[in-house]
Amino acid sequence: RAEGESMRAFDRRVKHETGQILRNELQIEKTNKKEKRKNFFAKKKMKKKAKRLGLLSQQRFDEDEDDDNDDVVAEKVYSFGEQAERPPEFQQLPRGAVLKPKPKVGTSSLDDEKIAFAQKNMEMLRMKVQAQYARVKMKRKKAGEFHL
């Protein structure tokens, strides 16, 4: 408060000055918003045009990128009939998918033994079923029923 200034005059002066400062800051903010919006839509238009022409490439947009989204990578656009080189690699598993545990390296000989034992059992079971089927077939053939 200045000397000789009444409290009411001081209050009016402070309100007027702060209002003026806030208006100036708001005006600067509006121009920044307009510029950002204008740049955003210009980039969006360029990307859309490039995508339409099939020219979407990382180098072209890296020069123009000033955003904080540096980790976003432009993907190559494939035209109809073009074959992809390999299936996509997912960064995250899709919903409902379960990660398969990787087999341990040190226990391979034990696993091989189990696999060999299971194969032997399956082969024995297969031979047993074939023998049963042959018996049933012979029985029906003797009885005169030709179809099984």
Side-chain angles (χ1 to χ4, degrees), residues 46-63:
M46 290 290 290
K47 285 181 182 179
K48 188 174 183 180
K49 187 175 183 180
K51 188 174 183 180
R52 187 169 25 103
L53 297 174
L55 301 174
L56 189 63
S57 66
Q58 181 63 27
Q59 299 99 12
R60 183 173 176 171
F61 291 108
D62 273 346
E63 298 167 0

Side-chain angles (χ1 to χ4, degrees), residues 14 23 25 31 36 38 64 76 81 89 95 97 118 134 139:
V14 169
R23 275 188 232 106
E25 288 179 4
T31 56
K36 284 181 183 179
K38 186 178 176 182
D64 298 334
K76 183 180 179 197
E89 295 176 4
R95 255 185 296 166
K139 188 191 249 185

Side-chain angles (χ1 to χ4, degrees), residues 9-147:
F10 170 73
D11 197 26
R12 270 191 247 140
R13 184 175 55 85
V14 169
K15 284 182 183 179
H16 178 69
E17 288 176 3
T18 54
Q20 191 66 29
I21 292 170
L22 289 174
R23 275 188 232 106
N24 290 341
E25 288 179 4
L26 187 62
Q27 187 66 27
I28 292 169
E29 191 175 311
K30 280 184 181 180
T31 56
N32 287 345
K33 276 187 179 180
K34 285 180 184 179
E35 281 186 36
K36 284 181 183 179
R37 181 181 167 95
K38 186 178 176 182
N39 289 338
F40 172 77
F41 283 113
K43 285 179 187 177
K44 186 175 178 182
K45 185 177 180 181
M46 290 290 290
K47 285 181 182 179
K48 188 174 183 180
K49 187 175 183 180
K51 188 174 183 180
R52 187 169 25 103
L53 297 174
L55 301 174
L56 189 63
S57 66
Q58 181 63 27
Q59 299 99 12
R60 183 173 176 171
F61 291 108
D62 273 346
E63 298 167 0
D64 298 334
E65 282 295 320
D66 294 326
D67 296 339
D68 295 333
N69 301 334
D70 292 335
D71 56 339
V72 176
V73 178
E75 296 179 9
K76 183 180 179 197
V77 176
Y78 293 99
S79 61
F80 181 75
E82 189 175 346
Q83 187 173 6
E85 296 176 16
R86 60 187 165 132
E89 295 176 4
F90 297 110
Q91 302 296 328
Q92 293 180 336
L93 286 176
R95 255 185 296 166
V98 179
L99 182 63
K100 293 181 181 178
K102 294 183 180 179
K104 295 180 181 175
V105 179
T107 61
S108 63
S109 63
L110 192 61
D111 290 339
D112 291 342
E113 291 174 11
K114 286 181 181 179
I115 291 171
F117 184 71
Q119 285 176 342
K120 189 186 237 183
N121 284 343
M122 285 297 270
E123 188 62 31
M124 289 176 64
L125 184 64
R126 184 175 154 271
M127 290 174 69
K128 184 179 175 183
V129 169
Q130 284 177 342
Q132 286 176 345
Y133 180 74
R135 273 189 252 130
V136 169
K137 195 172 180 182
M138 288 297 290
K139 188 191 249 185
R140 288 200 177 176
K141 198 170 189 180
K142 286 181 182 178
E145 296 178 23
F146 189 67
H147 296 289

